Amino acid sequence: MNRIYDVAIIGAGVSGAAIARKLSRYRIQTVLLEKEADVSFGTSKANSGIVHGGFHHNAKYLKTRMEVLGASLFDQLQRELGFPFRRCGIIVAAMHLDEMRVVEHLYRQGVENGAPGIELCSRDRMLLLEPKLSTEVVGGLYAPSGGIIEPYRFVFSLVENAKKNGVTLETCFKAASARRVPASDSGADAQLWEITAADGRTVRARYVVNAAGLQADAVSALFGAEEFSITARKGEYFLLDRLAAGCPSRVVFPVPSSVSKGMLVIPTVEGTTLIGPTADMVPDKGDLATTAENLARITASARMLIPSVSERDVITSFAGLRPVLEEDFYIDMSKKVPCFVQVAGIQSPGLTSSPAIAEYVKDLLLKDGLELSENPEFEPYLAPPVHVRNLPPEERAVLVSQNPAYGNIVCRCEEISEAEIVEAIRHGHTTLDGIKFYTRAQMGRCQGGFCSYKIMKLIMRETGMSAEEITKRGGSSRVLEGEL
Amino acid sequence: MKELRFDAVVIGAGAAGMAASLSVSKRGFSCALVDREDYMGGILLQCIHNGFGLQHFGEELTGPEFALRLEKDVRAAEIPFFSGTTVLSIDSEESGFSLILSSAANGVFRASCASVILAMGSRERNRGNIRIAGDRPAGVFTAGLAQRLINIDGYLPGKRAVIIGSGDIGLIMARRLTLSGAKVEAVVEIQPFPSGLTRNIVQCLNDYSIPLYLSHSTLRIIGRDRVEGVEIAPLENGAPRLEKAFTIDCDTVLLSVGLVPENELSAHAGISLNPVTNGAFVDSTLMTSVPGVFACGNVLHIHDLVDRVAGEASRAGESCADWLEGAGSGKKRAEVPLKAGANIRYTVPSTIDPESKTTVCLRSMVMLDRGILKIMRGGAEIYKKSLKWVRPGEMISVEIPAGTLGVASTAGEPFEISLNAAGEGVK
């Protein structure tokens, strides 16, 4: 790999993807390095999927400024990239009068932060805004700009658009070592970063952005940059079926405690319901296990808000890890090593902030001397993937007459056609989880019981992989033992 | 959009759909059979073991043989079969129903009909449904998926398996995996009794010395990338004894924890569903709450024998033909509710016509070596039957002759059906 990049971004989560897409507007060469088999496979795939309302955090924090600015950029991004996103509004429900003191504090904070349209609500207004709320509600807060988003689809669309505009993506690239090397084609003083992956691949770049999420501390150490320690906070969730009676029309928060925003009830853009998360610090950054006790707590908490949430509707549970540094985000040029940008500690509201983080990092690079001239060929638009499920029958009929594979429904629960799965594979999503997050196939009520073997066959047909080579999410997550 | 017209459309071409379509067709009505897969037979095709057909065909067959017999009849009757076709929606119209279907071969098209028979079968309950905690590695399969992978696609899911749940598919798969060279370390059942058929416990576990842990709860699945083990603990007084927990090493977990009728299409069509069975509420003619829509087989309630599925489906087909003959009346019959009493989980149908011969299917909640089944109405006992070897895992089907239930002069009162150990309860 002899190409020299201007910027190498380590980590293709939402921060890295947003930065990559931002930089793809300029006439520079950018490479996005991801240690997993696909993008968005870490923190960015397992979170609440919320564009926050700008009232949860104090204005003194960088993350608050990023949250409010980031949230305002989603409409434009959605127009360009077509990911699933809807401003359904966020409510915080107080269940007794003491909690209203906290709600009033959140309201004042929101006003100070410039959260658009935020209001205090009486009990009646709360029940009008969300009729499924517990009748024990005494009042609350409403942030109409808050919204819901499919986080992995957001990341996929950012990366796809970045690639379209010239960014290179390297997956399964686990940075193993880094050093400064002389830039061969320029003056004697000029130096570059050379990053070597565990499998021997190397990448050279003038600048490195550390957007490595949970591993940002390890990556910083690898480059001899600042020493800090990222700890993992685990959030466990339940996903409820599309037909669940307990699906609210807005995101419903409880009144937050000192340690977390609490467990919420979230209507997803796709019509399912998410409940959770818990918030427990875990010593192991690979610990994505769910626990029986926490899962019981989640349903109990969710039912305090929305009593019609039922365990009968649970189709799966999962956990995500938040990279926690300190209270705030850490986004800055390294003071210790040259040409190294730290984007660390991006916990909540990281997804909401990501468009603003990208802007901020771009400005840091510019200030440090990276020349950024607009690329006149930049194409901001991305044709969103077709979902036959969302089309009226007549349009669907036309589409199927053009490509019969749209008529063959492979995933019955989410109504995903063969053509949609093939499209995912052709976009480079060749693990079962990658296809799941890209298309929603296997994400419904049967959780792949009926369609995963069909998807495996499509992967084999499209890529030439053998059955033994197919994995759930890369690495050693092999699905089958082999042929009989 | 292309539009086709039939007297009836049967959704699902497994045992239920094939048998139902045959009954409709024999009575001279036009009938279309639709299936998502490219073939008829449904899940029977992956059930390559024997034990099918003793009731319906009077001889022991494998699943594919059972399916083939029905398929031959369907082909001979020239029933149009739409393979690889998914029904997207069912809408009620003035003259019946309008369905939208999708396939690669025929595109998106419409089918209108006077009657619909639901025969979509069931799906397997999965890990999320029973909330097994722990890691989420590769190597966790529902038993039916593993069966499909081995028997149809020729792939081995893993080498050392633990099977969670003792449903019939899991038991069959314990044997199948063993015969395929894998080691089955254990079958783990949370209840104090197996949920599968007794014959499968004997033939699939005992014959291969596979340990069955009854009254054991699965605490978690272990393994980051691929399954490495399952932690289980014995239940005492209804709660797992965590201090007695132990881990069984394995690379594969199969889940055989029950089936759920696949009724999302029905729910969208406005058909009311029974929260106990997850199937439609039906009357004694197997008609759902929507007049003209019938249901049979596993989409109605979970059966343990395909013979019973076929029998029920034939009745649904007959009822559908009766409905088509009387087309125009457009009304449901007035029937009397049938309530599940002591020790009964549910009954199908949920209403009965006291004047007619009725088949009632039910599930016991208790194990009894000898039981007495009673139907009461308004405090009076009007039907009684002795039963042997009652097991929750084995469906009970009772034929009640015409006139039997009509004797009580307690109109307005529901029937209640109950099951008790012989020699206890009401005389």
Side-chain angles (χ1 to χ4, degrees), chain A residues 214-218 229-232 282-288 321, chain B residues 224:
Chain A
L214 288 162
Q215 305 301 330
D217 49 356
S229 171
I230 300 280
T231 45
V282 289
D284 177 353
K285 289 179 187 177
D287 176 5
L288 287 163
L321 298 174
Chain B
R224 292 281 159 86

Side-chain angles (χ1 to χ4, degrees), chain A residues 17 170 346:
Chain A
E170 298 281 347
I346 313 298

Side-chain angles (χ1 to χ4, degrees), chain A residues 270-329:
Chain A
E270 296 285 355
T272 51
T273 307
L274 202 54
I275 58 175
T278 51
D280 299 305
M281 301 308 290
V282 289
D284 177 353
K285 289 179 187 177
D287 176 5
L288 287 163
T290 55
T291 58
E293 310 80 68
N294 275 342
L295 294 178
R297 274 174 54 212
I298 293 169
T299 2
S301 295
R303 294 178 62 125
M304 301 269 277
L305 299 169
I306 308 276
S308 51
V309 164
S310 166
E311 294 191 11
R312 280 175 66 101
D313 295 320
V314 171
I315 54 178
T316 190
S317 58
F318 61 90
L321 298 174
R322 320 283 181 258
V324 180
L325 179 51
E326 278 155 12
E327 191 66 9
D328 208 353
F329 294 166

